[in-house]
Amino acid sequence: MSDGPGRRAGVVAAVVLVIVYTCTAARDVTFWDAGELATAIGTWGIPHPPGTPLYVAIARALFVLVPGASAVQAGVALSVLASAAAGAVAAALVAAALVRRDGDARAATIVGAAAGVAAGTMGSVWLNATEVEVYGVALACSAAQLALAWRAHVHDDDGARGAVVTVAALALPLHLSAIVSAPAALLLACTAPDGTIRWRSWIGGGAVLVAVVAASTGRIVLAGAWLLAVALAGRMVGRETRWLARAALGTAVAMSAVLVLWLRARHAPWLSQGDPSTWSRFVAVVA
């Protein structure tokens, strides 16, 4: 999405969405999980399983780095920025696709920006973008997968294909809803510029994602063994699937962020749902 229309549409959508979200953002704790998540941010605690350690760590960093911000304000700001970023990616993707098809840069920019704003102001997106909640960050993770998939499709880039899988693997320490977009993003990534689908690559990438699913059910050792098997198989099948070895390594690194739960729990934080301070309880919380 390095073309001008895509960049311009993304910037316009991002600015509009940040303004809309900021003007309608919650000023205090809202219903459901906001209070618990804000407490986790303020104390670097562990909310209810599966713990969302990557979300808490990012929000905690924002809370520490912004002087005078409360835990609620840090959580809301993260939701605003992440959701606006997702809308910007949607705008840029639409604009980039339109300009490649029609060649009309001005129309592509306008339609792309409108699409991004429309996507960002859907009810479910808007609600989660204005409160302390993990779904805005999970949406941004899905948007990143689609952006990388577009790059892989346009430039026939194996590195971007591997990055799609690696970013999808962040769903384990972030929130599993972020993996929902992965099969479609991977299909786009494994589609050559001429429209040919590289089925071996798509199936291989899907096999890597199976490890994320296995880890999410507590089968962490099995997930590691599966990743090793997929990496070796990718090297043996041929040049088309050699990127799977790098994708498997990236996936393992991305999933390792979930170990923050175990490490943090051993320091007895004030909030520690499930108390994942031992390996068995850690596996139970992840699952």
Side-chain angles (χ1 to χ4, degrees):
M1 293 183 295
S2 60
D3 58 293
R7 285 198 304 271
R8 289 192 292 272
V11 169
V12 171
V15 170
V16 171
L17 289 175
V18 166
I19 293 172
V20 169
Y21 295 156
T22 302
C23 290
T24 58
R27 298 295 186 259
D28 209 328
V29 176
T30 56
F31 200 40
W32 296 118
D33 298 331
E36 183 186 6
L37 292 175
T39 301
I41 293 167
T43 63
W44 198 359
I46 300 171
H48 61 275
T52 60
L54 184 57
Y55 166 77
V56 173
I58 296 171
R60 172 72 180 176
L62 192 61
F63 170 63
V64 171
L65 291 173
V66 179
S70 68
V72 171
Q73 290 169 335
V76 171
L78 180 57
S79 293
V80 166
L81 295 174
S83 301
V89 170
L93 284 171
V94 171
L98 286 176
V99 78
R100 281 172 61 86
R101 188 190 69 178
D102 302 329
D104 189 336
R106 184 171 181 274
T109 301
I110 294 172
V111 174
V117 172
T121 51
M122 289 188 295
S124 56
V125 176
W126 194 343
L127 285 171
N128 290 311
T130 54
E131 64 178 351
V132 184
E133 188 52 91
V134 68
Y135 297 114
V137 183
L139 181 64
C141 181
S142 293
Q145 295 168 43
L146 294 170
L148 289 165
W150 177 259
R151 176 177 176 81
H153 166 63
V154 172
H155 299 287
D156 200 11
D157 186 347
D158 280 344
R161 290 187 183 97
V164 170
V165 179
T166 298
V167 172
L170 291 173
L172 184 66
L174 180 59
H175 193 277
L176 282 179
S177 63
I179 206 172
V180 173
S181 58
L186 190 59
L187 181 60
L188 175 61
C190 295
T191 301
D194 63 0
T196 303
I197 298 176
R198 293 176 173 164
W199 291 108
R200 287 183 179 180
S201 285
W202 187 64
I203 293 171
V208 175
L209 294 177
V210 168
V212 183
V213 177
S216 74
T217 63
R219 298 174 175 85
I220 296 174
V221 175
L222 174 62
W226 180 261
L227 284 176
L228 179 60
V230 173
L232 293 174
R235 299 289 294 181
M236 294 171 60
V237 168
R239 185 177 178 278
E240 181 183 331
T241 56
R242 286 181 181 174
W243 64 274
L244 290 174
R246 294 192 299 273
L249 177 60
T251 296
V253 172
M255 291 195 301
S256 71
V258 79
L259 289 171
V260 170
L261 285 175
W262 175 68
L263 294 170
R264 181 57 183 149
R266 293 175 68 83
H267 292 276
W270 186 82
L271 175 65
S272 185
Q273 294 272 34
D275 185 25
S277 56
T278 66
W279 183 256
S280 61
R281 287 201 290 263
F282 164 71
V283 170
V285 168
V286 172

